[in-house]
Amino acid sequence: MAQGSIRKGFFFYFGLFVLLLVSVFLICLVIMMFNPGKTVLWMKYFSGKQEIGVTHTTPVTEGGATIDIDYSSLKEIEVNCEYAKVTVQRNKEYKDDFVVIRNYAKGFSGAKKYSPFNYKVSLQGTKLVVDIDEPNGFIYFSKDIEVIINDCTTVDKINLNNIALKVNAKGSGDIYLGGTTNKDEVAVGLRSVDVSTSKGTITLGRKFNSDSITSAIDANKDEDNYGIRLYTGSGSIKAVNTIVHGAKSGNGIRQTQQNVSVGTRKGRINLGIIDLGSKTLEVKCKKGTIAVGNIYAGAVQVNDCVNGNYKFDTVSCDVTFWGTADTIISPIIRINDLGGEFRLLSTGKKDAPVVNIKNAQKKVAVTAAKGSVTVSNAKGEVDINSNASMAVKVAIDKDNSNIINIENEKGSIRLKFLGVVSRSARIVTNTSSLNIDFTKDASFAANCYNKDTSNALPISKIIIKLGSSKVDYKDYYDEKNGIATFTGTTAKGDITINTNSSINFNLVSAA
């Protein structure tokens, strides 16, 4: 009984002690919230309530001189921040047109590591630089800090069409170009756009006029020869505007005067249309996802491709994947309708891209060690090379008279002719699973040789399936000369096969 009473007493007083600690902690929180900036225990509460119209530079030293900003003479605006949002807009929400800094951030920070909100404004010739130092905390009730670049359209001070915009958000800062909820908003145009965020979202607003871009970031440098460059590390890039191209419409980018670059390290880019006329689209994606409905451009160049996921519906131009050894590790590439050529060249032993093209109008050229290449309807030349093990599945259009070349050391090959074979095809493989599918219209001769000795393959390695009827292989295969002959309608092409494995000739339907 005595032990039970002692135990109950212990828990009672322990509970009172815990309750006292919680009460003291809550009292400290209340004190800090009513006295922002005051340190209690090891914590500090911060609460911003500022809206600053930037009309002059900040002094370099305390008490130093400031310089009034002539917005009409500006050519560039650069914003550097962490998690602050950057918005470019045109409306009458503000009575004047200038840079506005809003700070409504709230949260708790450790007293020793606390860094208060601060900003610096400087002029470098005709470039205005705005640096934002956001409060750092371990608990945030709000991260509402925003830099607004505004043109109210009623005062002739800042002409956004003359401004080259650069934004560098090293944290989760979002970037919004064009458009607010204001009913008087009008389209926003800029001279060039170079914006990046580490974790935030870049949004092209419904009033962002992407076709207003007239200059490159730096035309003298290949890496900067873009009128629009958008990059997010692990965030997203999206658009809420509307672009129309012929019968197609969607959210995206139209820019016919300068090249465009979009990229992400492991985030997501989701756009309905990119219309660049004859200009080039650069895409960068290491591990993220690129989903674009329709691309109309002079060329698409994909750089920094490692494990990205690429989904394109219609592409009007050539698509090229660039990489060095062991950099194109395992991207997944899907294109429904490709109007130009497709090129992917990789020399690494680990590279294993997955390529799936439904309708290829022109040449498809892939060189990689592993992975897979699937082309549902190839209307142009095909050139596929693998020195290791690749899964190749290609269907040749009935009107395709281009050269077909497939070299695959150890993988599988399924080559299907949807019509007559009117040109030459060459297949070189060592131990691949090899299938030649053809329709009743196909007319061709297949030269079947051993890969190492170039001797004719023995009939034991020839398998012919012509539907359900039993086939005497000798009626189709000349074992002495290594020639398999199939007579369909008019054209008669030839297929040269060098392999150490068996060859399966299969009569299939055209569907």
Side-chain angles (χ1 to χ4, degrees):
M1 293 290 292
Q3 290 181 349
S5 299
I6 292 173
R7 187 179 294 111
K8 290 180 180 178
F10 170 78
F11 284 113
F12 174 75
Y13 287 108
F14 180 75
L16 285 178
F17 177 71
V18 172
L19 182 61
L20 178 63
L21 290 178
V22 172
S23 300
V24 171
F25 180 74
L26 291 176
I27 291 172
C28 292
L29 292 183
V30 172
I31 293 174
M32 287 187 291
M33 293 181 72
F34 281 96
N35 296 274
K38 186 177 183 61
T39 300
V40 179
L41 297 178
W42 51 270
M43 296 180 296
K44 187 186 291 287
Y45 177 72
F46 58 88
S47 177
K49 195 174 182 181
Q50 299 170 277
E51 194 158 310
I52 305 156
V54 178
T55 58
H56 54 269
T57 62
T58 52
V60 177
T61 58
E62 186 175 353
T66 63
I67 302 174
D68 291 339
I69 299 171
D70 179 8
Y71 278 94
S72 63
S73 66
L74 291 182
K75 298 298 181 183
E76 301 175 68
I77 295 179
E78 177 180 323
V79 179
N80 301 299
C81 59
E82 187 78 20
Y83 60 78
K85 180 180 180 181
V86 179
T87 300
V88 180
Q89 64 183 25
R90 271 184 172 176
N91 62 42
K92 300 176 183 178
E93 184 176 337
Y94 297 94
K95 295 180 180 180
D96 209 343
D97 49 347
F98 43 41
V99 174
V100 178
I101 301 173
R102 298 173 64 256
N103 170 30
Y104 292 91
K106 297 178 181 180
F108 287 96
S109 174
K112 290 185 178 181
K113 296 183 178 181
Y114 174 64
S115 175
F117 169 80
N118 192 20
Y119 71 94
K120 297 177 182 178
V121 179
S122 61
L123 280 171
Q124 300 175 7
T126 57
K127 179 168 74 172
L128 178 69
V129 180
V130 180
D131 296 306
I132 304 295
D133 294 324
E134 299 93 332
N136 60 322
F138 60 87
I139 295 178
Y140 291 97
F141 298 128
S142 170
K143 286 188 173 182
D144 186 10
I145 298 178
E146 184 176 15
V147 178
I148 300 174
I149 302 171
N150 181 70
D151 181 352
C152 71
T153 73
T154 60
V155 181
D156 188 20
K157 281 191 175 181
I158 183 171
N159 186 348
L160 290 176
N161 289 88
N162 294 331
I163 298 296
L165 176 68
K166 181 178 179 62
V167 178
N168 181 24
K170 296 180 180 179
S172 58
D174 294 334
I175 301 167
Y176 199 102
L177 304 179
T180 67
T181 57
N182 190 285
K183 65 180 181 180
D184 295 322
E185 65 180 348
V186 294
V188 172
L190 291 158
R191 182 162 61 91
S192 67
V193 174
D194 183 12
V195 299
S196 67
T197 175
S198 180
K199 301 177 182 178
T201 296
I202 299 173
T203 303
L204 306 181
R206 60 191 182 92
K207 287 297 183 178
F208 174 57
N209 180 13
S210 57
D211 207 19
S212 67
I213 305 299
T214 57
S215 300
I217 298 165
D218 189 342
N220 296 318
K221 298 179 180 179
D222 290 341
E223 65 272 21
D224 293 330
N225 192 18
Y226 302 97
I228 298 176
R229 180 163 58 194
L230 313 175
Y231 185 86
T232 178
S234 58
S236 62
I237 298 175
K238 62 181 182 179
V240 294
N241 56 358
T242 300
I243 302 296
V244 178
H245 183 100
K248 301 290 183 69
S249 64
N251 303 326
I253 300 171
R254 171 177 286 128
Q255 168 52 222
T256 57
Q257 301 183 68
Q258 300 293 331
N259 302 326
V260 172
S261 174
V262 295
T264 181
R265 181 170 57 87
K266 59 176 182 179
R268 181 176 181 85
I269 299 175
N270 195 342
L271 299 170
I273 285 184
I274 298 179
D275 182 5
L276 305 186
S278 61
K279 297 302 178 179
T280 297
L281 172 66
E282 180 194 50
V283 176
K284 291 186 174 183
C285 177
K286 287 190 174 181
K287 298 181 181 179
T289 297
I290 307 286
V292 181
N294 303 283
I295 299 175
Y296 307 97
V300 175
Q301 296 180 354
V302 182
N303 300 317
D304 292 343
C305 170
V306 180
N307 296 314
N309 195 337
Y310 304 82
K311 300 177 182 179
F312 304 141
D313 185 13
T314 300
V315 183
S316 68
C317 57
D318 295 350
V319 177
T320 304
F321 279 73
W322 296 100
T324 56
D326 294 327
T327 58
I328 306 180
I329 303 297
S330 57
I332 299 174
I333 304 159
R334 297 184 178 92
I335 304 175
N336 285 338
D337 193 352
L338 178 59
E341 296 185 358
F342 180 88
R343 306 183 193 93
L344 187 153
L345 174 60
S346 171
T347 57
K349 296 180 180 179
K350 299 179 181 178
D351 295 344
V354 175
V355 179
N356 193 322
I357 304 174
K358 286 188 176 180
N359 188 26
Q361 301 286 342
K362 296 183 179 180
K363 181 178 180 178
V364 174
V366 177
T367 297
K370 303 175 183 178
S372 66
V373 177
T374 301
V375 183
S376 301
N377 189 18
K379 295 184 177 181
E381 184 179 346
V382 175
D383 187 9
I384 300 173
N385 296 273
S386 168
N387 60 6
S389 179
M390 179 182 286
V392 179
K393 186 178 181 180
V394 179
I396 306 301
D397 185 78
K398 61 183 181 64
D399 297 322
N400 189 349
S401 60
N402 293 281
I403 295 175
I404 311 301
N405 180 69
I406 300 174
E407 297 187 32
N408 191 8
E409 184 67 16
K410 297 180 180 179
S412 62
I413 299 174
R414 180 172 289 274
L415 182 61
K416 181 178 181 180
F417 292 91
L418 299 176
V420 300
V421 182
S422 57
R423 194 68 184 271
S424 63
R426 175 176 174 266
I427 300 172
V428 179
T429 181
N430 190 13
T431 59
S432 291
S433 169
L434 178 55
N435 284 271
I436 306 297
D437 298 339
F438 56 93
T439 66
K440 61 181 179 59
D441 295 327
S443 177
F444 65 94
N447 304 292
C448 308
Y449 304 127
N450 183 279
K451 181 177 182 292
D452 298 324
T453 64
S454 296
N455 294 328
L457 282 180
I459 198 169
S460 60
K461 289 193 173 184
I462 303 298
I463 302 170
I464 301 173
K465 296 179 181 179
L466 303 179
S468 58
S469 58
K470 190 174 181 180
V471 177
D472 186 348
Y473 294 175
K474 293 181 181 180
D475 293 340
Y476 296 90
Y477 186 63
D478 178 358
E479 186 175 15
K480 180 180 179 180
N481 296 305
I483 300 176
T485 304
F486 300 90
T487 302
T489 53
T490 54
K492 185 174 182 180
D494 63 275
I495 304 174
T496 300
I497 304 172
N498 294 89
T499 181
N500 292 329
S501 66
S502 298
I503 306 174
N504 296 273
F505 293 97
N506 309 300
L507 179 64
V508 297
S509 64

